[in-house]
Structures are given as C-alpha cells and as structure tokens.
Amino acid sequence: MKIIPIPAFEDNYIWLICEGRHAAAVDPGEAGPVLDYLERHGLGLVAILNTHHHGDHTGGNEDLLRHTAVPVYGPRHENIPGLTHPVGAGDTVQLPELFANFSVLDVPGHTAGHVAYYGANSLFCGDTLFACGCGKLFEGTPAQMAASLHKFAALPDETRVYCAHEYTLTNIDFAKSVEPANAALLQRETRDRQARQQGLPTLPSTIALEKATNPFLRCDQPAVIEAASRHVGHALNDPVSVFAVLRKWKK
Ligand code: ZN
Ligand code: FE
C-alpha cells in the first residue's frame, strides 16, 4: 500500500491510499488533481473518505462521483456531498480492494462531527491534529478538542499521521515560543525546514514525534504548563485549561 500526497489549494493535502490499480481519496477538496493523478497512474477510484464538512475537504466529492460512482464515507452528523456511508465511533470502513480496514474515531472540536480514520498503521486526522499543532475550534470546546487529541495520543507510537494541511513550519514557530528548550522540537525544525526547502511534504508525522514536540499534546508537561501560566499571568493546574490557553495564544 502506498499513501500519496496530492497537493491542493494553497496548503491542503488530499491523501490517496493506493494498492495495485485501486485508490481511495481522503478529503478531496478538489477533483482535478485527483483525477489527473488517477489517470497518469492508471488507477481506479474505489472510495472517498471525508473527515469533516469543510469545503476544502469535500469540494471535489461531486465531480469525482460524476466520474465514478463510489461509496462516500463521512461523519454521520455533518452535511457531506454525496455521502453514502455515514459513520461514527466504533464503525469500520472496509476497503477490500485495498486490503485494508479503517476504524472510525469521533474527534469533535474543529467541527462538531469531525471523524478520523485509523488503520494500516496510519491515521487520517483531517483538521484535528496538525504536525506540531492542532485545528481551530470552529464548532467545539477546548475540552472536546483536548479529549479528541488524547485519543490520538493513545494510538501506537509508530502510527503514521496524515494531516490535511502543510502547516508544520508555522506550527513549529509557535511550539518554540512555548518550549524553546525542547531538543526534539529543535531537531524537528531542522529536518522539516530542509524538507520544505526541497519542496517536500513534512508529512506523514508519527504519534511518537507529535507526543515529543506538539505542545497541544503536551499540556501535562511542566514546561508547557509553566509557559501557558506565564502567558496568562496566573497558575494553571489542569491540562484542559492549559490547552485552552495554548489554543488562544496560537491564534
Ligand atoms: Zn477544516
Ligand atoms: Fe481544512
């Protein structure tokens, strides 16, 4: 199985999960680049997986469906164009053509119904977790988002993390203002800056790397608690308050 990033818009990645002559598209915000890739590589689309309703993740569904009628998996409680298989926590997406199954996680926060797909040692997390950052809270509370990120942190360390945007370098800048002395973070910065200079994606990341460098997954670490407390000018003593402060501070 190969997982291919298809750049879209300014900084989105549409992830294409490929096996043999088959492919599934995760969050196809536009159809054009997906159709191009499928045609150039002689692949047939077998499914669309959406993580949430935002247009930069679902805008290509209808054009893709005009091309090939495939099942569309997406969050049960959101408005997803062409949705055929509404899913939520506990469901499994079976993609026999790819010899893969993905379990569905409910991860509210960025949107109320946001889901993530986990399988084949890979996590498709949409706009919930970003490399060294996390999504904005458009429809959820800090407590919800912190709980969603917690679910990701509980996945195996070696899980590959496929985020939907290339936001890594700006996220690292913020992470450094929180934890300027985090050695793993500084190492990551060197590597990811190099990747961007060569025009390469900084993704996938791994759960281990996120736990070591992403301040939003480190709200229980003394250095992060201290930085957030300093930022608001009073002592914070629970991880959700720390998370809420970081989320506001980051803008
Ligand atoms: Zn979004
Ligand atoms: Fe997005």
Side-chain angles (χ1 to χ4, degrees), residues 18 22 89 109 113 127 138 167 196 240:
C18 306
H22 303 292
D127 287 353
F138 288 121
Y167 289 158
R196 294 310 291 150
V240 172

Side-chain angles (χ1 to χ4, degrees), residues 51-57 110-111 114 126-128 130 138 165:
T51 61
H52 66 294
H53 67 86
H54 288 159
D56 63 316
H57 299 251
H110 178 69
T111 64
H114 201 302
D127 287 353
T128 298
F130 292 125
F138 288 121
H165 289 270

Side-chain angles (χ1 to χ4, degrees), residues 132-198:
C132 229
C134 76
K136 292 198 166 123
L137 305 184
F138 288 121
E139 300 175 8
T141 63
Q144 280 178 321
M145 187 59 139
S148 295
L149 294 176
H150 230 85
K151 293 180 190 171
F152 294 156
L155 296 174
D157 274 352
E158 66 277 11
T159 306
R160 287 184 295 262
V161 178
Y162 294 89
C163 318
H165 289 270
E166 179 62 65
Y167 289 158
T168 312
L169 295 186
T170 50
N171 286 343
I172 287 175
D173 285 341
F174 174 73
K176 279 169 61 188
S177 61
V178 179
E179 280 192 290
N182 179 334
L185 176 60
L186 301 176
Q187 247 175 41
R188 177 178 204 172
E189 180 181 29
T190 305
R191 210 195 32 224
D192 286 348
R193 280 199 193 287
Q194 249 164 32
R196 294 310 291 150
Q197 269 159 18
Q198 296 165 16

Side-chain angles (χ1 to χ4, degrees), residues 8 19 22 46 84 188 202 245:
E19 177 66 55
H22 303 292
V46 297
T84 59
R188 177 178 204 172
T202 58
V245 166

